[in-house]
């Protein structure tokens, strides 16, 4: 009876489709290993928690918008200052 249980438990080892699938996946894994992708995959798995997610993406988008608004205000202030300087120079040249 014990022998029958063991055969029933390991019956998938006797199937040809299991071994074909096993050799196919192991050969693909070996090819991946020899090409150096294993190191890249392991690095990606280790570093995955530190990659930016949707929250960090929103922070980056809002920060770029704030930065653009600040630059726009500074450029408008510089433009107004330069226009005032040119206007003063035109008035002084008109007096001559």
């Amino acid at each position: 009876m014990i022998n029958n249980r063991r055969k029933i438990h390991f019956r998938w080892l006797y199937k040809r489709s299991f071994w074909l699938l096993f050799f196919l996946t192991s050969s693909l894994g070996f090819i991946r290993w020899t090409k150096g992708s294993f190191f890249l995959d392991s690095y990606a798995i280790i570093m995955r928690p530190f990659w930016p997610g949707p929250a960090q993406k929103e922070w980056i988008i809002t920060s770029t918008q704030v930065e653009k608004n600040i630059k726009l205000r500074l450029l408008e202030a510089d433009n107004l200052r330069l226009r005032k300087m040119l206007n003063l120079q035109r008035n002084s040249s008109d007096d001559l």
Side-chain angles (χ1 to χ4, degrees):
M1 180 124 173
I2 294 173
N3 291 336
N4 288 337
R5 287 184 184 173
R6 287 187 183 170
K7 285 184 180 179
I8 290 172
H9 185 67
F10 294 108
R11 68 177 177 253
W12 48 271
L13 286 175
Y14 298 113
K15 298 199 179 210
R16 185 175 179 176
S17 60
F18 168 76
W19 288 108
L20 288 175
L21 185 64
F22 175 76
F23 285 123
L24 178 69
T25 55
S26 62
S27 64
L28 290 175
F30 179 73
I31 290 170
R32 198 159 173 84
W33 177 277
T34 58
K35 295 293 182 185
S37 295
F38 173 74
F39 298 111
L40 292 175
D41 291 342
S42 60
Y43 177 77
I45 290 170
I46 292 169
M47 297 306 291
R48 183 71 174 179
F50 302 108
W51 288 355
Q56 289 86 356
K57 185 177 180 181
E58 290 177 13
W59 296 341
I60 291 171
I61 290 172
T62 55
S63 64
T64 54
Q65 289 174 349
V66 168
E67 181 184 4
K68 287 178 182 178
N69 287 336
I70 291 170
K71 284 183 180 180
L72 181 65
R73 278 191 242 135
L74 288 173
L75 288 173
E76 286 176 350
D78 285 343
N79 189 13
L80 184 62
R81 183 180 56 85
L82 290 173
R83 285 180 183 265
K84 285 182 182 180
M85 288 173 63
L86 288 173
N87 192 13
L88 288 175
Q89 288 178 356
R90 274 195 221 143
N91 287 340
S92 62
S93 64
D94 290 338
D95 293 336
L96 295 175

